[in-house]
Amino acid sequence: MNFIAISAIYKFEMARFFRTMMQSIISPVISTSLYFVVFGAAIGSRIDNVEGVSYGSFIVPGLIMLSVMTQATSNASFGIYFPKFIGTIYELLSAPVSFLEITIGYVGAAATKAMFIGMIILGTAYMFVDIQIAHPAAMLAFLVLTCFSFSLLGFIIGIWAGNFEQLQLIPLLIITPLVFLGGSFYSITMLPPVWQSITMFNPVVYLISGFRWSFFGTADVGIGLSLFAIALFTAICLGAIWWIFRTGWRIRQ
Amino acid sequence: MSSIVSVQNLRKSYQSGFEALKGVNLEIEEGEILALLGPNGAGKTTLISTICGITVPTSGAISVGGHDTQTGFRAARGLIGLVPQEINLEPFETVMNTVQFSRGLFGKPRDDAKIDAILKQLSLDDKKDSRIMMLSGGMKRRVLIAKALSHEPRVLFLDEPTAGVDVELRKDMWDIVAGLKAAGVTIILTTHYIEEAEAIADRIGVISKGEILLVQDKAELMAQMGKKQLQIEVSAPVDKLPKALSGYQLTAEGTTLTYTYDTKNERTGITTLLNDLQKTGLQLVDIQTQQSSLEDIFVGLVKEDT
């Protein structure tokens, strides 16, 4: 293992994050605040408690997940797409690093950024609503796993993308709808039975449900199932990356 | 001298079916400067990319410092520095961080003193905290070289280092290359400027349509260039050179006598030859002189190949 190379990639990527610090931090803070004003204060006051939790608090885990998933995906996809776009990828390909080390460096940095933003949103949420975290260790574990797995997904998208449009396409067309329809802002028990069944095919449901359980101790689906779902998702992404690594797909001619 | 880079029967076909390299064999000796000359699309960049690991060979074998570039890729690539043809740089980073990043990729810990020395050598020391996007084109090219040198490679590939570069920077570039050679670095550069190959190379290779047509010592090529030929047409065929002419570098073929002489010598010997010719009674019909330049050799080789 070329650990120095992993750390070089990681630091270089984190430097990009800190260069755009204002944008990286201010925008999630502002958008989260807006959600709290609109859903928490304005609409939320007319909604009953959900599963014994006030609506404003109830949406906190979903909001964090929404940002973390989209940030992890877009950061990781951009991180590997940008060298492809500007041509500096030659350096990665001619350096004595394996594809695994490249993946760890980029995915690690993207996951860290997403984790950072998740924490900032949690901090912002504290200013608006009352939150108790029932299972802090589980909460952290879910957050880390989600950051990591969606960064893997983003990395795959970044390798696949041939232009900026494709780079935006999957986060926009797939991840955002899945997260919105995955119970970020509602409990799926609120849905009609048919939609409840359909929702079960949405993988994000399991992540949000598990994450919410770590806050409030209640969940739409069993915590074991949630863990299994995120493990499965991570495994699929790792498998895809292993395959890309084997074939050099879209990377090495 | 031993080979530091050995390329054996290297073939590369792209997915489009285009065969960029058609069985290239090349031995690069340690410490030399090898210039690869060739027209656009000859396969120069593909050859370099394949040695450096950016493209995967279709067949054949490459070793660098005795390490196979496939099975021993870490050891092989660790010896190589690559300066690409295009200016590919992260625009928002500083020079120092970009160069340190390259060093890190090659598994070497951050070393500010070392990088400072490299930047100084490339006259970039006052730019180290500048963002890449603020630099001129010539400076960016220097940054590319600094990146390639950051991990102290033993073999340096320069892909068209002086394409689109002004005269002054080109001279600087040649000085840098000479300095690296003095430090023991083996250098392979591609170019389509013949005078560049003449100015700095030890050996010259000519590549066209995915094949190496010639690899020769520059001194030998220059020797061919430094010599001129005098062709003397005589009225009757000469079977055997007369005794009076045996002391000259003279060959006879039909009615043509070819005399090879060195223009760098104080005396070319032409006057005495003509005097001696007259004494033999041979009748002169015509006289002409010829000089072959590297350009002629190059153009001739590439044309022959088409």
Side-chain angles (χ1 to χ4, degrees):
Chain A
M1 271 298 215
N2 187 343
F3 289 106
I4 294 173
I6 295 175
S7 124
I9 294 172
Y10 182 85
K11 284 182 192 156
F12 202 68
E13 281 302 297
M14 290 310 287
R16 192 202 311 285
F17 177 65
F18 289 118
R19 265 204 306 273
T20 53
M21 193 78 163
M22 295 302 273
Q23 185 196 325
S24 309
I25 290 172
I26 296 213
S27 80
V29 169
I30 289 179
S31 61
T32 314
S33 305
L34 287 174
Y35 278 118
F36 280 118
V37 172
V38 174
F39 289 111
I43 299 174
S45 59
R46 290 160 189 261
I47 299 178
D48 286 341
N49 286 359
V50 183
E51 291 160 6
V53 183
S54 79
Y55 186 67
S57 307
F58 178 83
I59 62 171
V60 170
L63 269 181
I64 295 175
M65 276 290 174
L66 174 66
S67 293
V68 158
M69 286 173 189
T70 47
Q71 288 288 333
T73 314
S74 67
N75 276 322
S77 61
F78 187 79
I80 190 67
Y81 179 74
F82 195 56
K84 264 173 55 179
F85 179 69
I86 61 171
T88 52
I89 187 107
Y90 84 87
E91 204 176 11
L92 290 172
L93 299 179
S94 61
V97 288
S98 71
F99 199 77
L100 182 66
E101 288 148 0
I102 296 175
T103 310
I104 295 172
Y106 280 100
V107 169
T112 309
K113 294 176 203 177
M115 189 76 192
F116 225 81
I117 288 163
M119 289 311 203
I120 288 168
I121 293 172
L122 185 60
T124 313
Y126 262 111
M127 295 193 286
F128 287 90
V129 289
D130 177 43
I131 309 165
Q132 248 104 47
I133 301 170
H135 309 281
M139 191 277 282
L140 270 179
F142 262 108
L143 198 57
V144 168
L145 270 174
T146 308
C147 289
F148 180 63
S149 56
F150 276 76
S151 296
L152 285 173
L153 176 69
F155 189 75
I156 297 168
I157 294 169
I159 288 173
W160 163 78
N163 54 47
F164 273 102
E165 196 189 0
Q166 290 179 342
L167 197 65
Q168 309 280 3
L169 211 63
I170 292 192
L172 207 68
L173 288 185
I174 299 179
I175 294 179
T176 311
L178 282 184
V179 177
F180 265 89
L181 301 176
S184 311
F185 299 107
Y186 55 84
S187 165
I188 56 171
T189 51
M190 293 161 135
L191 294 172
V194 179
W195 283 102
Q196 280 192 34
S197 309
I198 293 173
T199 298
M200 286 304 163
F201 290 100
N202 179 354
V204 175
V205 165
Y206 302 91
L207 305 184
I208 292 180
S209 169
F211 194 51
R212 188 171 285 139
W213 169 85
S214 69
F215 278 79
F216 309 122
T218 55
D220 290 337
V221 294
I223 183 72
L225 196 56
S226 287
L227 278 172
F228 174 76
I230 193 161
L232 184 69
F233 179 64
T234 310
I236 291 170
C237 290
L238 281 174
I241 285 177
W242 178 81
W243 177 81
I244 290 171
F245 165 62
R246 295 283 300 170
T247 57
W249 180 72
R250 297 237 179 180
I251 286 275
R252 217 179 231 124
Q253 285 179 297
Chain B
M1 287 230 262
S2 59
S3 296
I4 188 152
V5 178
S6 170
V7 178
Q8 270 146 27
N9 205 19
L10 180 66
R11 288 176 183 276
K12 173 66 189 176
S13 304
Y14 286 105
Q15 274 178 344
S16 60
F18 175 69
E19 198 176 19
L21 298 174
K22 302 167 183 167
V24 168
N25 289 292
L26 183 63
E27 299 291 324
I28 298 163
E29 286 158 16
E30 179 145 30
E32 75 168 336
I33 300 179
L34 175 72
L36 282 174
L37 280 168
N40 290 327
K44 303 188 292 285
T45 300
T46 302
L47 177 59
I48 288 187
S49 298
T50 314
I51 296 173
C52 295
I54 295 168
T55 51
V56 185
T58 307
S59 68
I62 306 164
S63 71
V64 180
H67 307 284
D68 186 272
T69 54
Q70 301 273 332
T71 56
F73 80 97
R74 280 185 203 271
R77 289 186 203 163
L79 299 173
I80 298 176
L82 169 64
V83 181
Q85 190 173 343
E86 310 281 338
I87 297 178
N88 302 320
L89 290 166
E90 166 92 35
F92 308 110
E93 252 310 342
T94 64
V95 171
M96 191 62 172
N97 286 347
T98 308
V99 177
Q100 291 283 9
F101 171 67
S102 304
R103 186 177 167 84
L105 277 184
F106 281 78
K108 300 222 167 166
R110 193 180 170 103
D111 184 340
D112 285 352
K114 191 122 250 161
I115 301 300
D116 276 337
I118 291 168
L119 293 180
K120 201 174 175 95
Q121 187 188 358
L122 293 161
S123 320
L124 280 171
D125 39 345
D126 56 334
K127 301 280 184 203
K128 65 179 180 184
D129 297 317
S130 304
R131 287 189 177 193
I132 305 270
M133 57 197 269
M134 307 300 283
L135 302 181
S136 67
M139 286 293 171
K140 284 180 188 159
R141 237 170 230 288
R142 286 166 196 257
V143 174
L144 285 176
I145 299 179
K147 281 165 76 73
L149 293 176
S150 64
H151 64 281
E152 303 146 78
R154 277 173 62 201
V155 185
L156 183 68
F157 286 90
L158 294 150
D159 197 358
E160 307 260 355
T162 56
V165 157
D166 66 31
V167 178
E168 199 183 340
L169 183 57
R170 187 176 303 172
K171 288 272 154 56
D172 281 357
M173 220 50 111
W174 293 354
D175 288 343
I176 291 164
V177 169
L180 291 170
K181 181 188 157 72
V185 180
T186 306
I187 294 154
I188 297 94
L189 62 98
T190 68
T191 181
H192 42 234
Y193 298 117
I194 285 156
E195 71 267 31
E196 181 158 286
E198 281 182 24
I200 56 178
D202 297 316
R203 282 200 306 159
I204 290 168
V206 177
I207 181 166
S208 175
K209 299 201 160 171
E211 285 172 302
I212 299 241
L213 303 178
L214 158 153
V215 181
Q216 205 172 358
D217 196 81
K218 184 184 68 173
E220 284 172 27
L221 277 175
M222 294 302 277
Q224 286 178 28
M225 281 176 55
K227 285 190 176 138
K228 280 187 109 171
Q229 289 185 326
L230 177 72
Q231 287 185 333
I232 306 159
E233 289 286 319
V234 289
S235 56
V238 182
D239 298 329
K240 197 167 175 274
L241 283 172
K243 252 204 177 133
L245 301 176
S246 60
Y248 295 96
Q249 282 282 326
L250 203 59
T251 53
E253 214 185 302
T255 57
T256 311
L257 299 176
T258 306
Y259 172 61
T260 308
Y261 62 97
D262 197 333
T263 49
K264 289 185 188 117
N265 286 354
E266 257 179 68
R267 288 165 179 279
T268 57
I270 292 173
T271 323
T272 49
L273 171 70
L274 292 178
N275 278 334
D276 286 344
L277 258 175
Q278 207 172 16
K279 283 177 199 156
T280 61
L282 287 169
Q283 280 227 310
L284 286 161
V285 178
D286 195 9
I287 285 179
Q288 62 171 0
T289 65
Q290 276 189 343
Q291 179 170 30
S292 63
S293 68
L294 182 52
E295 180 116 26
D296 288 335
I297 296 169
F298 174 70
V299 170
L301 276 167
V302 172
K303 262 206 183 130
E304 219 170 82
D305 193 49
T306 44

